[in-house]
Amino acid sequence: MMRIFIALDGTICPVKKEDESFENLIPFPGAKEKINKLRKAGHYIIILTKRHLSAYNSGIKNIGKITLEWLDANGIEFDELYLGTPDISQLQVSVKFTDWNVIEEKLLGY
C-alpha cells in the first residue's frame, strides 16, 4: 500500500477560471475511475488543494465544505483532504502527472 498525494485543481479537475464556480467544475475524463481503482487496490488517497488561498482572497467562505461536497457529488473516493500544502519532502516516489490515461499499475509499482 502507498500513500498517494493527488492535486485536485489541474489534475482531478481544471483550475477554476475567474468566471466559474468551484461547484460547477467537471472532473477530467478518467480521474474518478483511476482514483477509485487505486483506493480499492488498498492505496491511501490524499487530495491536495490550495483552494483556501484563492477562496480567501475572493471572499468565498466554507471552501472546505464546498470541496468535500464536490468530491462526493462527483463520486471521487479518498481518505484525506488537505487544504494547503503538506510537507511532501519525504516522498519516496514521485510521478509527474500528464494524463489520467497514463496512470497504470506498472507506473505506480503494484
Side-chain angles (χ1 to χ4, degrees), residues 16 22-23 52 54-63 66:
K16 182 184 92 55
F22 287 113
E23 296 92 341
H52 71 288
S54 61
Y56 178 78
N57 293 332
S58 301
I60 299 172
K61 297 185 184 208
N62 299 320
I63 194 63
I66 290 168

Side-chain angles (χ1 to χ4, degrees), residues 21 31-32 40 43 62-63 75 93 95 97 106 108-109:
S21 70
K32 169 184 147 179
K40 283 185 174 97
H43 299 293
N62 299 320
I63 194 63
V93 177
V95 176
F97 178 82
K106 64 181 181 176
L108 295 173

Side-chain angles (χ1 to χ4, degrees), residues 9-52:
D9 301 295
T11 304
I12 298 174
C13 67
V15 175
K16 182 184 92 55
K17 295 178 182 152
E18 195 170 313
D19 62 338
E20 295 176 319
S21 70
F22 287 113
E23 296 92 341
N24 293 326
L25 294 174
I26 306 293
F28 289 127
K32 169 184 147 179
E33 294 79 12
K34 295 284 182 164
I35 292 168
N36 292 352
K37 183 178 178 181
L38 289 168
R39 191 161 183 262
K40 283 185 174 97
H43 299 293
Y44 193 85
I45 305 298
I46 302 166
I47 297 179
L48 311 170
T49 182
K50 294 182 183 179
R51 286 183 175 186
H52 71 288

